[in-house]
Amino acid sequence: MPRTQEQYEAMRTATRNKIHSAAIKLFAKKGFAAASVKDIAENAGISIGLMYRHYKTKGDLFNELISYAAEGLEAIVTRFQSDESPIELIRQFTLEILDDLNNDDEIAEFYMLMNQSLSMEEPSFQIQDLNKQSDAMLNQTIRLIEKGQKYNQFKQGNASEMAFYFLASIQGLMMIKLTMGERFETPSLKIVTGFLIRDGHD
Amino acid sequence: MPRTQEQYEAMRTATRNKIHSAAIKLFAKKGFAAASVKDIAENAGISIGLMYRHYKTKGDLFNELISYAAEGLEAIVTRFQSDESPIELIRQFTLEILDDLNNDDEIAEFYMLMNQSLSMEEPSFQIQDLNKQSDAMLNQTIRLIEKGQKYNQFKQGNASEMAFYFLASIQGLMMIKLTMGERFETPSLKIVTGFLIRDGHD
DNA sequence: ATAATGAATGAATATATTTTCATTATAAAA
DNA sequence: TTTTATAATGAAAATATATTCATTCATTAT
């Protein structure tokens, strides 16, 4: 008998991870269509053939990443629905985002996938699911802002507009972080939540 | 003799306009690689062959749009360098952006082109020029914020961070506007400039 | 009517990208 | 050293997309 099950398993996991890292980086930076399979394989340091041993098509690989993104987003939506104080929820969420930005986690890349999936024709069911989560995220953000306004933690104003602005600013930060790389400077919590959190509360 | 010079000229201009509208819409929405020539021609209501009578390659068409974007951006950079009051410059600029967003002008589309061109390998000289303008825009925004802080029109804080945040929020609004379409609600000037403009000044 | 001019078409060709698959490499056990 | 199970390779086939070009169409002056 050759290698053990565990050894093979470990090998497969290792190459899968290499593929993931390369793919998310390239899909985020160039978009699904512009990121070629050759590109991804080269970045992952493997052959094209091996890629196809792990994923039936390029689309399947994309879908797997999309479903990770959907999971992450779902967790956030769930937290937004909890009974915690709106101001604390927003603060924690924003801090985590800014932290991930600073630590070069893959958060920016995942956000770019999210965005791409919103304008794809013939979306896979994974993409459809992610899009549902994006929608839920928007709705829960609006709800949370309204709640915070009721508690007088947040500034008054049109909650929908505020939610669009909040999510847009985060999305924009991800985008600029990706395109600028090193030069990017993560703004402070105060700057990012200033439009929302009342002055007494920060 | 057949048609007059002017008539031919008018015909060519008309189809060029059709190509422009279709191309900017599709390039912005799907990205350069994912927007196919067939797509663009169909959207413009013309044949593929006619497209190629007007542009030698798909890249040439993209470059022409990019150079328009660069022109627009250059005008903004120049205005930011004027002697006008920082608070007025920022207000005017932001109002124009928000206005364009409301009127479904092509502004959002142009911003997406800008972003794409920042992460293209082997950039054409048009793309390189646009990227230079993007860089200048960032620098002038930082300068303008510092100036406004000196005049006590703007809130204190790290000017670079504030500039990144400001540009990111605008970029993000464009992006979300494009993906959400009808549902999008343009935030007010107050929301968008709240992090920057001191309370006395609005 | 016909000729002349340039716009417009789309099937054919060239090119690029994705996908397959026959083959090779690797490590462990017999 | 041979066998075995599976990972890994990359050239070839299939597919998709960009580009070319011979042909048709539309309009106007003769």
Side-chain angles (χ1 to χ4, degrees):
Chain A
M1 227 154 253
R3 272 168 267 217
T4 65
Q5 284 295 315
E6 292 77 35
Q7 283 174 311
Y8 281 130
E9 182 66 26
M11 287 170 84
R12 289 185 64 74
T13 307
T15 74
R16 267 184 112 84
N17 287 341
K18 287 197 272 183
I19 295 173
H20 278 177
S21 308
I24 194 166
K25 197 166 98 189
L26 289 170
F27 282 146
K29 191 173 168 197
K30 306 184 170 188
F32 177 76
S36 74
V37 171
K38 190 164 162 252
D39 243 4
I40 296 171
E42 268 169 18
N43 256 269
I46 63 169
S47 67
I48 289 180
L50 187 53
M51 260 228 40
Y52 277 90
R53 242 173 152 326
H54 285 261
Y55 297 95
K56 219 156 84 76
T57 67
K58 178 175 149 182
D60 281 2
L61 169 56
F62 189 73
N63 283 334
E64 182 162 313
L65 298 178
I66 287 293
S67 70
Y68 291 154
E71 268 179 46
L73 198 53
E74 192 175 9
I76 296 170
V77 171
T78 303
R79 248 175 78 208
F80 272 20
Q81 288 172 311
S82 82
D83 282 336
E84 283 182 72
S85 146
I87 195 174
E88 273 317 306
L89 284 170
I90 289 286
R91 264 206 198 114
Q92 282 168 28
F93 169 70
T94 310
L95 267 177
E96 273 166 37
I97 296 266
L98 297 180
D99 220 52
D100 288 346
L101 275 177
N102 267 324
N103 296 326
D104 288 312
D105 278 337
E106 277 165 341
I107 182 115
E109 282 82 0
F110 273 113
Y111 261 82
M112 296 312 291
L113 294 199
M114 241 179 72
N115 203 66
Q116 283 182 54
S117 73
L118 283 169
S119 50
M120 284 191 127
E121 37 224 317
E122 306 185 28
S124 65
F125 86 89
Q126 288 93 336
I127 290 180
Q128 290 178 37
D129 180 48
L130 178 58
N131 291 348
K132 271 181 209 145
Q133 297 302 334
S134 298
D135 195 61
M137 177 75 188
L138 173 61
N139 290 328
Q140 288 311 314
T141 305
I142 295 174
R143 232 202 75 267
L144 197 60
I145 290 179
E146 285 168 343
K147 201 171 155 192
Q149 288 176 328
K150 223 176 257 159
Y151 293 173
N152 223 20
Q153 296 173 335
F154 292 160
K155 294 180 177 167
Q156 295 305 312
N158 182 313
S160 290
E161 285 182 16
M162 289 167 110
F164 276 116
Y165 176 71
F166 181 58
L167 298 177
S169 69
I170 286 169
Q171 186 83 21
L173 286 170
M174 305 291 176
M175 206 150 144
I176 290 198
K177 154 90 182 183
L178 275 192
T179 50
M180 308 268 301
E182 283 304 288
R183 192 170 172 202
F184 178 75
E185 294 176 55
T186 309
S188 67
L189 178 68
K190 192 178 172 198
I191 292 176
V192 178
T193 56
F195 78 100
L196 182 64
I197 295 182
R198 292 188 61 217
D199 289 337
H201 288 269
D202 58 1
Chain B
M1 227 154 255
R3 272 170 268 219
T4 65
Q5 284 296 315
E6 290 78 35
Q7 282 174 310
Y8 280 130
E9 182 64 27
M11 287 170 84
R12 288 186 65 75
T13 307
T15 74
R16 266 183 113 84
N17 287 342
K18 285 196 271 183
I19 295 173
H20 278 178
S21 308
I24 195 166
K25 196 167 101 189
L26 290 170
F27 282 146
K29 189 172 169 200
K30 306 185 170 186
F32 177 75
S36 75
V37 171
K38 188 163 162 254
D39 245 3
I40 296 172
E42 268 170 17
N43 256 271
I46 63 169
S47 68
I48 289 180
L50 187 53
M51 260 229 39
Y52 276 91
R53 238 170 155 330
H54 285 262
Y55 298 96
K56 217 156 85 77
T57 67
K58 178 175 148 182
D60 281 1
L61 168 56
F62 188 73
N63 283 335
E64 180 161 314
L65 299 178
I66 287 293
S67 69
Y68 292 154
E71 267 179 47
L73 198 53
E74 193 175 8
I76 296 169
V77 171
T78 303
R79 246 174 81 208
F80 272 20
Q81 288 172 314
S82 82
D83 281 337
E84 282 183 71
S85 145
I87 195 174
E88 273 317 306
L89 284 171
I90 289 286
R91 265 207 198 114
Q92 283 169 27
F93 169 70
T94 310
L95 267 178
E96 272 167 38
I97 296 266
L98 297 179
D99 219 53
D100 288 346
L101 274 177
N102 267 325
N103 296 327
D104 288 311
D105 278 337
E106 277 165 342
I107 182 115
E109 281 82 0
F110 273 113
Y111 261 83
M112 296 312 290
L113 294 200
M114 243 180 70
N115 203 65
Q116 284 182 54
S117 74
L118 283 168
S119 51
M120 285 192 126
E121 38 224 318
E122 308 185 28
S124 66
F125 86 89
Q126 288 94 335
I127 290 180
Q128 289 178 38
D129 180 49
L130 177 58
N131 291 347
K132 272 181 209 146
Q133 298 301 334
S134 298
D135 195 60
M137 177 74 187
L138 173 61
N139 290 328
Q140 289 310 316
T141 305
I142 296 174
R143 231 201 75 266
L144 197 60
I145 290 179
E146 285 168 344
K147 202 171 155 192
Q149 288 176 327
K150 225 175 256 158
Y151 294 173
N152 223 20
Q153 295 174 336
F154 293 160
K155 294 181 178 167
Q156 295 305 312
N158 182 313
S160 291
E161 285 182 17
M162 290 165 107
F164 276 115
Y165 176 71
F166 181 56
L167 297 176
S169 69
I170 286 169
Q171 186 83 21
L173 286 171
M174 305 290 176
M175 208 152 144
I176 290 197
K177 154 88 181 184
L178 275 192
T179 49
M180 308 269 299
E182 284 303 288
R183 194 173 169 198
F184 178 74
E185 296 176 54
T186 308
S188 67
L189 178 68
K190 192 177 173 198
I191 292 176
V192 178
T193 56
F195 78 99
L196 183 63
I197 295 182
R198 293 187 62 216
D199 289 338
H201 289 268
D202 59 1

